[in-house]
Amino acid sequence: MKIVFFYPNPDKAHQWAAQLKAEGVEFEAIFWQPDQTVSADYAIVWLPPEEFFTSVQDLQAVFNMGAGVDALLNNKYLPADLPVVRLDDAEMGLKMTEYVVHAIAQITRRLDQYTALQQQKVWSGTADYPYFEKWPVGIMGFGRVGQQIADVVHALGYPVHTWSRTAKTAEGITCHHGQTGLKEFLRSTKILINVLPLTPDTTNILNAENLAQLQPGSSLINIGRGHHVVDNDLLQALDSQHMAGAILDVFRTEPLPSEHPFWSHPAIRITPHISGPTHAAKAIQQIAQRIHAQQAGLPLEGVIDRQTGY
Ligand code: NDP
């Protein structure tokens, strides 16, 4: 069996190959180079260049080293019938939940204020109790990651609303779905967490019309993708003080260009796409299990639906 690897940093691709061998998969490793035509059974990639798929032949499947497949699906040379396999969690959901809980505390407990006060050596706190019920949390995307976030945020005591494409139920959580459920979901939300996949249906979903439905003084935590947000609409919602703040991990252009107004906006906090790091060993373990299963004649798990785009 031959497996072709691509990662922008070639050292990492070599590490993946070694980890896959340690998982008992027997294969010849190929490390993709431009201007080289190769034949391989599987590809394991993150952000391959467009020409990758013009030069690799005979693939049975491509494994994406992440949960979000939007970049891969945008590759114009990706064969229409090639199964694209995503990572199912691989501990990302837990890390993203940790990020979200910190971000929620930053908003509801005003932790930023204390950082500023410390710089002035000022001891000044508020005695106001941050009642959970004042901060209903809305989670857009109730999949592998959204469900873990919802469970933990619900366990903390916050009212939790979720929004998905298809109908869902979960104990103690108010589930909304589809276009018809969107308005009510947004109107129920004071802290909006976006963890949707980027698809043609979800691109620009955080626009002026939808942000206007949020409760006054609401905040956004975006850990989905940058193209979910219409940047100017978010800035306007913040400047008009309809919204109080935004904690953003993902951006339309990454790295975020130095001239982008998000950098210096007082109500925006930025992290450089670190909320859901890939646990390489767990990811490779998952890929190894899937290759073993397929080689044993079982169906390949984790294949995304090319129609819905996730
Ligand atoms: P899943 O595929 O498990 O879940 C996706 C959820 O979004 C589902 O609940 C789905 O609805 C819902 N959804 C999809 N399309 C629509 C739509 N048009 N309208 C309403 N709901 C919709 O994905 P994951 O939870 O694993 O990951 C979600 C995303 O998180 C990834 O695609 C990626 O973009 C992002 N991510 C970001 C990371 C980071 O570091 N910032 C790291 C990892 C992931 P339904 O349940 O009905 O299918």
Side-chain angles (χ1 to χ4, degrees), residues 86 142-145 163-166 168 195 197 223 275-276 310:
R86 49 154 292 165
F142 195 33
R144 292 145 180 100
V145 178
W163 188 65
S164 50
R165 194 171 55 82
T166 56
K168 300 273 179 306
V195 64
I223 53 172
S275 66
Y310 69 98

Side-chain angles (χ1 to χ4, degrees), residues 224-278:
R225 287 287 184 261
H227 283 84
H228 287 131
V229 177
V230 180
D231 292 358
N232 282 335
D233 292 1
L234 175 62
L235 288 166
Q236 221 155 26
L238 292 167
D239 292 341
S240 68
Q241 295 188 351
H242 167 59
M243 290 184 69
I247 297 176
L248 308 174
D249 185 51
V250 286
F251 304 90
R252 295 180 90 92
T253 306
E254 296 180 1
L256 185 65
S258 57
E259 66 280 8
H260 198 288
F262 282 174
W263 278 115
S264 50
H265 198 285
I268 292 179
R269 295 289 168 272
I270 285 170
T271 54
H273 201 145
I274 48 81
S275 66
T278 296

Side-chain angles (χ1 to χ4, degrees), residues 63 84-86 88 286 290 293-294 298-304:
F63 291 93
V84 172
V85 184
R86 49 154 292 165
D88 272 343
Q286 190 176 99
R290 288 173 168 171
Q294 200 192 32
L298 295 169
L300 188 57
E301 275 185 27
V303 177
I304 62 117

